[in-house]
Amino acid sequence: MNFTQALAAFIGRKIEAFLTNQFVQGTLLGVGDGFFTVQVPNPSYTSPTIQVTVFIQNVEFVRILAA
């Protein structure tokens, strides 16, 4: 089992992804070959949530939050 397969088991859960110069927190939507997608709440109250694609090669670590 590699990192992508392990991460796919947590689709639908809240995660925190730490990158070299960025922090992403939201709901894991999907995992592909070399990337994953996170639904991130927009800090603006007038805009809906946004989807962010994170490339696995840029990830330092991922934390799965308690349900």
Side-chain angles (χ1 to χ4, degrees):
M1 177 181 287
N2 62 25
F3 178 73
T4 304
Q5 294 168 335
L7 191 59
F10 296 102
I11 291 175
R13 297 272 307 267
K14 300 244 185 238
I15 67 164
E16 296 176 340
F18 295 85
L19 291 74
T20 304
N21 295 320
Q22 190 176 8
F23 169 76
V24 177
Q25 182 177 11
T27 304
L28 181 63
L29 295 178
V31 180
D33 188 24
F35 68 93
F36 58 91
T37 307
V38 180
Q39 184 173 2
V40 178
N42 196 332
S44 170
Y45 292 108
T46 60
S47 300
T49 58
I50 57 173
Q51 292 183 5
V52 176
T53 299
V54 178
F55 293 104
I56 291 175
Q57 67 184 10
N58 298 331
V59 173
E60 297 292 327
F61 70 92
V62 173
R63 180 169 41 195
I64 310 300
L65 301 177

